[in-house]
Every structure is written in C-alpha cells, then in structure tokens.
Amino acid sequence: MPDCKLLGHYLKDRRGKLDPESFGISPRRRRTPGLRREEVAQRANVSATWYTWLEQGRGGSPSAEVLDRLAQALRLSAVEREHLFLLAQQRPPQARYRQDEQVSKQLQRVLDSLERSPALIRTATWDIVAWNDAARAVLKDYTLMAVPQRNIMRILFTDPHVREKMINWQADAASAVAAFRAEVIRAGALEQVKELVEELSESSTEFSRFWQSYDVQHQGEGVKHARHPLVGDLAFEYSSFTLDGQPDLGLVIYTPANAEYRSKVDRILDLWRQNRHAG
C-alpha cells in the first residue's frame, strides 16, 4: 500500500520550495515560504480541501491524471515526477518519449576514451546520435550518412555491406528486432517508429517476419561475431546501458573478446587513420 503520510510530506516539501514571484505572486505578507495550499490546488484544478487532505496523509491515492496535474502545478522535474508516482501508486508514470535527447560533451568524452572498443549512443527508437572513432572504423562511418539513415534497424535491414560482415546475421537480426520492440514499447515511442516499421516491413521480408513474431527481449549483453574485410573474423562482447537521468538514451559498447581480436581492431584503426589523413 502507498505511504500516504510520506506522499503528504513530499507534496508539502515541494510546495514550500516554490518561489511565489516566479508565478507572478508577491511574496509579501507571507508567513511561510512557497505557495499556499489553495494556490497549488487551483493550479492543479483540484479542490483545496482535498489537496489539504493529501498533504495531511488522508487523501487516498490520486489518479495518474491528477498526479500529472500536481506535478505540473509544483513544477516537478522528470525524476521528481517519477518519485511522486512511486509514492502515490508504487509504480513509475506511463512512459513519455522525448525525441530531443542531447549528448553532452562529457558523455562524448567517455565514448572517445574507449579507443579500442566501438561504442555508440542510441535513442529508444534506435537512432544513433553519438559514436567514437572505433565505431566509425570497425562498424560504419556514421558521419558519412544522412541523419535519417543513422538508425540501427534501417542499417541492419537495408545495408548489404553490414549484413555481409555479420556472421550470424539471422540470429543477431532477430534478437535486435526483439530488443527494439521491447525498448520502443517501454519508452512509449510506438507511434514515433510507425513509419519506419511500415517501411522496413515492405522492403524486408525478414524484418516483417521478425516484427510479426512479437518476440521481446532486453539487449543486455552477449557476444557478436563479425567478419571484417581487412582482418578476417572478429568477436566482440557487447554491453548495453541505460543512461541515468536520460532513460531514452542507451550506451552500447563492443569490447574485443580477446587479445587476438584487440590486435585486429588496432590494425583496423591504424589503417582507418592512415586513410583518413591521406584523404
């Protein structure tokens, strides 16, 4: 059962930390900081009496719609809004996909520090939004692609060169679609990928079959086997991480599975850098 008293304490604390002037309210003649209960209730379109009961721990469990209005009225951040739902309903709020996720300079430096490990950052719709040099050299040079083409699903099912490099393409592609479906649903982004799914279903019988199977799985971690034209067979251990504070961004790192494969990646990187400088 939700802890109504803890919910009440949280609402009262958030209310007390609001600046009345930012709402166009004069702070004069106020004995306590923050907004008054009736002001929050008015902004959330709930009765002042019921909101008072909530803060006193006897208002019951608000609906998701009311919690959203309270979150807006109290100007809660994304993490504060999630905490509000957990206190009131013991579950996070329904996923709301945010398309404009930004990769910070600090996060890009993390990618760049992984000199031997191809690494990239993707959105919940599997658009690739950041990468390092190892990814450009070993996987694909995303800088040479138009932005709409930088999507893992589109690359996987429309680029024959990528398909040729993947030794276990059928199994890897099926797993990728299952992870893609799970991620899209979790993020509430099904509408955002509708056109992509329709496009790939029409152009690829394999994608259509995998998508219609309704399989789901976490990307998690595992091993990928590839064949590179310069060095032959490669194996990478991959790990996928959700970024704290940016749940619609995922970091994927491919680490060479042993010393032999690390040496091969070094050769690929050396040749790639030589060709880049020569060009």
Side-chain angles (χ1 to χ4, degrees), residues 9-27:
H9 291 323
Y10 185 64
L11 290 171
K12 183 177 180 180
D13 178 81
R14 295 298 95 182
R15 175 173 62 83
K17 290 179 178 176
L18 293 173
D19 180 8
E21 286 188 279
S22 69
F23 294 89
I25 302 171
S26 172

Side-chain angles (χ1 to χ4, degrees), residues 245-264:
Q246 293 180 283
D248 292 326
L249 288 183
L251 169 62
V252 186
I253 302 174
Y254 297 89
T255 304
N258 59 34
E260 177 188 356
Y261 298 131
R262 285 195 295 273
S263 178
K264 288 185 175 183

Side-chain angles (χ1 to χ4, degrees), residues 156-211:
L156 190 57
F157 287 93
T158 66
D159 191 327
H161 300 294
V162 170
R163 182 166 181 159
E164 288 174 5
K165 288 182 177 181
M166 297 174 63
I167 294 175
N168 301 317
W169 185 89
Q170 284 283 342
D172 289 344
S175 294
V177 173
F180 174 68
R181 175 185 282 279
E183 181 71 11
V184 165
I185 297 297
R186 182 204 63 77
L190 193 58
E191 187 62 29
Q192 282 76 11
V193 301
K194 182 179 179 181
E195 289 186 12
L196 175 64
V197 168
E198 291 176 350
E199 171 196 329
L200 294 179
S201 294
E202 290 178 5
S203 64
S204 170
T205 57
E206 288 114 332
F207 177 86
S208 180
R209 176 162 52 87
F210 297 148
W211 183 257

